[in-house]
């Protein structure tokens, strides 16, 4: 396990669906659990979707084992430098792998959500 490398604090969020006064669904994200992670940024590429340029960047995150993490969740990462918030990034979870099937560490493959 990479305990010494897990030096980035991330927040795993889950989607909550509520209804407004008119009965319409409102989807919001709620913080579920805050953990430390080892973040590795990998390749990125550009493509066109609906006549707009879209950048897709892939990231691997390693965290301690949590059995309830799901691909229906997302990850929020606040990049902080010398106590100042630089940028808040959101990642869509693509897959979750139990490293060596030992229930010690999860490898989360995700893509950055451009907002």
């Amino acid at each position: 396990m990479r305990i010494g490398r897990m030096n980035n604090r991330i927040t795993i969020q889950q989607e909550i669906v509520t209804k407004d006064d008119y009965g319409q669904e409102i989807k919001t994200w709620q913080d579920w659990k805050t953990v430390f992670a080892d973040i590795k940024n990998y390749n990125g590429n550009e493509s066109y979707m609906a006549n707009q340029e879209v950048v897709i960047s892939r990231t691997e995150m390693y965290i301690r084992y949590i059995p309830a993490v799901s691909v229906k969740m997302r990850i929020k990462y606040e990049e902080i430098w010398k106590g100042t918030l630089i940028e808040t990034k959101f990642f869509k979870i693509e897959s979750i792998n139990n490293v060596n099937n030992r229930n010690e560490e999860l490898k989360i493959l995700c893509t950055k959500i451009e907002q």
Side-chain angles (χ1 to χ4, degrees), residues 30-96:
Q30 180 180 37
D31 291 353
W32 179 69
K33 197 170 282 279
T34 300
V35 297
F36 285 97
D38 177 14
I39 300 175
K40 296 183 177 183
N41 294 310
Y42 283 100
N43 62 344
N45 60 8
E46 299 176 0
S47 62
Y48 283 93
M49 295 175 72
N51 292 330
Q52 290 185 334
E53 186 175 12
V54 178
V55 178
I56 299 171
S57 58
R58 301 205 186 313
T59 302
E60 280 183 5
M61 296 188 186
Y62 292 87
I63 64 170
R64 288 186 179 204
Y65 180 79
I66 303 172
V69 178
S70 165
V71 294
K72 295 179 180 177
M73 298 176 170
R74 76 175 183 181
I75 295 175
K76 178 174 93 172
Y77 171 60
E78 295 180 331
E79 189 174 346
I80 297 174
W81 185 69
K82 293 188 177 183
T84 304
L85 177 65
I86 304 298
E87 180 181 11
T88 301
K89 300 176 183 178
F90 294 96
F91 296 88
K92 179 183 184 300
I93 298 176
E94 300 292 338
S95 69
I96 302 166

